[in-house]
Amino acid sequence: MDEGRPLLDVQAGRRQKLCGSNYPLSIAFIVVNEFCERFSYYGMRAVLTLYFISFFHWDENLSTAVYHAFSALCYFTPVIGAIMADSWLGKYKTIIYLSIVYVVGHLIKSVGAIPSLGNQAVHVVLSMVGLFLIALGTGGIKPCVSAFGGDQFEEEHTSERSKFFSVFYLSINAGSLISTFVTPVLRGDVKCFGEDCYALAFGVPAALMVLALVVFIAGSGLYRKMPPQGNVLLEVCKCIGFAIKNRLKNRSHHIPKRDHWLDWASEKYSKQLIGEVKMVTRVLFLFIPLPMFWALFDQQGSRWTLQATKMNADFGIYVLQPDQMQFLNPLLILVFIPIFDLGLYPLISMCKFNFTPIKKMATGMILAGMAFGLAAIVEVKINETDMPQLVPKESLIQVLNLAKNPVQVTIQDQDLFQQPVEAFQNPAEYSNLILNGEQQNLHFILQHQGSSLTFNYTVKEKSVYSLIVFEAEGSLSSRLITDLKAKPENGLAAVRFINGLSQDVNLTIDSKQFVAVQKNYGVSEYLLLERDKYNNGKCITEMGEFTLDLGLLDFGASYTVVVTNVSGDAVKTWKSEDIKANSVHMAWQLPQYLLISAGEVMFSITGLAFSYSQSPASMKSVLQAGWLLTVAVGNTLVLVVAQAAPMAQWAEFVLFTVLLFAVCIIFSIMGYFYVSVDPEDLQEKEEKTETPSRGNMISLVTQKTKL
């Protein structure tokens, strides 16, 4: 018996089948394992960017850079997993060992999200260690699980194996779809430790990964376990390295030239291997422009999620979390695949248009570029409700007139407030103060009912102020208070209180938010609240307890609420919206998700199928390695742009759009000159001209491993 074939092959007839079919029972464990693992990975990644911003208080650029560094690492590590499986441990043991690493990473990541555990440095270290182990685990098992599932079938059951891969792909998208919808709910709608529950949002994916490992081990007795058979990727790298080294050694003009630079490996490697490597390098050359597509595509979890935090998420019957919008991509992929395969592509063929794979991929790039163009337009509209960016020697100011009559406000050396400010008039917008230095002492002249009063206040540059004008003990008074410079993060609402009563008040906003405000126009600190209607608050004074109705506190708005008087069983309030609420609805992101998802179907699925068709069977894993590395490089590009060239977000979207369109033109030119080949035809030609191999040449055995 051939030592390369496992003992289970001999007993294949006695292996259990699913419901009397030709499907091995073992594949049920593999499919469930993949579903749980994908739920684990995508669920954790969905909330990662907001975790960096809200929990670590990192800025958007650093959060984006770390997010894409993690994503890039997840696509570099499959090469390690493939080498471990094919050259050392075999696929089964590699999956087991790296899944344990995966679980440990998840557990460390979840523990690092517990606020009471140490200081921020501890949280950052635990999170980075956890993310590194997760990247090693998810990337390491990526090339093994699908190939291990394919190993469970007999050679003659090709149709069943093909259907298995379809179910396997469905389990990936199902896990992604469900997790990207559920984990943001666990983060935002469940509160623990007084804030968003990131520990739970990371803990549930960790539990799913534990379940994935348990399910996979439970099927151990049913698996066909193929022994390691050598890694083709290493052989290809050695062949290329030897060819380059040999060419550099033989640069003399007296040495005859060879038809192809890889022919310099013929002293050591067989003509068949060299011919197959030539086919692969032709395709890998086409891969060079592809990372730019992934640079745009993977920003759904970073820049697009951050964009969603600045939008109105109220869909009437349901309020979406900003990181939940990512679920649209797997949902649309499941919808688009049958539409494109059964409808769009046949229709194009009926129109006699030769829609080649290269043209499909270029179209996918164009769609992704258009998606980012739309994202830039949406970003510009969002910025219309943002606070203006302040420059040196500039500040902003508004007047809140809490007196009973109009007040004329004049500021030294400033041409502002030409008309009197009416009592309880809602300011339309802030006015610009131009200073003569980093700070300046200004005279504020208030004219009220024939009298004129002067107040002096020191104003600092790049600051935002409200001048409160009120009546105290029968005379006019004022106070200059500092306002927020920017919108509250993550779609929260900010609110502060001014107590116009002559007694201290204690306010209860909801069951968890309390604030005490001193009498005679004392001002509270800002509270950050979830967007909601707050109609049942409490106001406790010396006279008793009264109802406090704040109404709707909307996404991204900042409010000043003035407690004016007590009437009946409720307090009377006046609410000023200092920073406008998010007015652009999150539904405006739908077109960009539609375009980039359609682009993914045309680019990714077509690209993989095309590259596989252009290489011999023994080289599929090499092309898969190259494909995954394009994803890794694409994420690295985003990291570089976010850190090296910070710019306005809309401008960054435009930059990526222009870059992808430029790369699309280059790719189209490369594709125009590319001549499609049939690897079997080339192999037959090679066999006809093949000379007897030297004893020291290395032949390549066809491998079934998929990277």
Side-chain angles (χ1 to χ4, degrees), residues 119-422:
N119 56 24
Q120 179 163 333
V122 174
H123 296 309
V124 172
V125 170
L126 288 175
S127 294
M128 294 305 106
V129 171
L131 287 176
F132 176 79
L133 296 178
I134 290 171
L136 182 60
T138 188
I141 68 175
K142 191 186 294 290
C144 302
V145 179
S146 61
F148 187 68
D151 288 346
Q152 306 308 305
F153 292 86
E154 306 298 329
E155 293 297 332
E156 63 270 17
H157 297 150
T158 54
S159 63
E160 286 83 358
R161 183 189 289 115
S162 177
K163 291 177 181 177
F164 158 74
F165 284 119
S166 297
V167 174
F168 187 83
Y169 182 76
L170 179 63
S171 70
I172 292 174
N173 283 277
S176 170
L177 173 63
I178 296 172
S179 64
T180 50
F181 190 86
V182 171
T183 50
V185 174
L186 299 177
R187 172 197 63 78
D189 292 352
V190 179
K191 301 298 177 184
C192 57
F193 307 103
E195 54 189 54
D196 283 356
C197 200
Y198 285 101
L200 179 63
F202 292 136
V204 170
L208 263 292
M209 190 57 220
V210 172
L211 179 60
L213 179 58
V214 170
V215 168
F216 187 77
I217 294 175
S220 177
L222 302 172
Y223 299 138
R224 284 178 72 190
K225 301 168 186 175
M226 308 293 288
Q229 297 176 344
N231 188 271
V232 64
L233 179 61
L234 290 178
E235 293 300 322
V236 171
C237 292
K238 290 177 182 178
C239 178
I240 293 174
F242 181 81
I244 296 173
K245 182 180 178 182
N246 198 27
R247 177 67 183 90
L248 293 175
K249 281 183 178 180
N250 298 277
R251 289 177 290 177
S252 173
H253 297 293
H254 302 291
I255 300 176
K257 293 184 178 180
R258 302 187 183 183
D259 294 337
H260 194 281
W261 63 272
L262 277 168
D263 291 334
W264 289 95
S266 59
E267 281 79 5
K268 185 176 181 181
Y269 293 90
S270 69
K271 193 172 183 179
Q272 178 188 350
L273 173 58
I274 294 172
E276 291 176 341
V277 174
K278 288 178 183 178
M279 292 185 236
V280 169
T281 53
R282 292 175 72 247
V283 180
L284 291 179
F285 179 70
L286 277 180
F287 281 6
I288 293 175
L290 305 190
M292 187 53 66
F293 174 88
W294 298 115
L296 276 69
F297 179 82
D298 275 345
Q299 290 187 59
Q300 294 174 74
S302 56
R303 295 302 199 191
W304 284 16
T305 296
L306 294 174
Q307 184 184 70
T309 64
K310 299 177 285 186
M311 303 178 78
N312 186 336
D314 187 3
F315 284 82
I317 59 174
Y318 188 77
V319 176
L320 276 181
Q321 298 291 339
D323 37 2
Q324 269 183 305
M325 285 296 286
Q326 298 174 62
F327 91 96
L328 284 174
N329 177 249
L331 176 63
L332 291 170
I333 292 298
L334 293 176
V335 172
F336 282 156
I337 288 176
I339 291 177
F340 280 41
D341 287 343
L342 303 178
L344 180 62
Y345 295 155
L347 182 61
I348 293 175
S349 297
M350 290 172 60
C351 296
K352 307 299 181 182
F353 179 74
N354 185 20
F355 204 30
T356 63
I358 296 291
K359 292 177 182 177
K360 289 179 183 177
M361 294 176 68
T363 303
M365 289 182 174
I366 293 171
L367 291 175
M370 291 171 60
F372 264 65
L374 290 180
I377 295 173
V378 171
E379 191 70 24
V380 169
K381 297 299 293 182
I382 289 173
N383 290 343
E384 292 178 359
T385 61
D386 273 353
M387 292 289 286
Q389 294 293 319
L390 295 174
V391 299
K393 298 184 181 181
E394 181 186 41
S395 292
L396 297 176
I397 191 169
Q398 67 175 1
V399 177
L400 301 180
N401 180 10
L402 309 183
K404 297 178 181 178
N405 297 292
V407 175
Q408 178 67 54
V409 179
T410 304
I411 305 176
Q412 170 192 345
D413 301 328
Q414 307 289 328
D415 187 20
L416 303 176
F417 310 116
Q418 301 296 321
Q419 300 297 323
V421 180
E422 299 292 332

Side-chain angles (χ1 to χ4, degrees), residues 44 61 81 103 137 243 336 401 411 457 470 540 591 607 683:
M44 178 278 303
N61 287 331
V103 168
F336 282 156
N401 180 10
I411 305 176
Y457 295 109
F470 56 90
I540 302 174
Q683 191 168 355

Side-chain angles (χ1 to χ4, degrees), residues 512-579:
K512 299 178 182 178
Q513 299 285 352
F514 308 92
V515 60
V517 192
Q518 294 182 348
K519 62 184 178 181
N520 298 328
Y521 297 94
V523 182
S524 73
E525 297 293 328
Y526 280 101
L527 295 178
L528 294 178
L529 303 171
E530 297 284 344
R531 185 260 191 189
D532 204 349
K533 290 183 178 180
Y534 293 88
N535 301 324
N536 299 311
K538 299 295 181 183
C539 177
I540 302 174
T541 70
E542 295 174 359
M543 296 183 293
E545 182 177 302
F546 303 91
T547 302
L548 176 65
D549 184 0
L550 299 179
L552 175 66
L553 302 182
D554 212 348
F555 295 108
S558 173
Y559 300 93
T560 298
V561 176
V562 183
V563 179
T564 56
N565 57 67
V566 176
S567 176
D569 60 350
V571 293
K572 297 296 183 180
T573 61
W574 174 74
K575 183 170 68 175
S576 168
E577 188 179 52
D578 303 329
I579 299 178

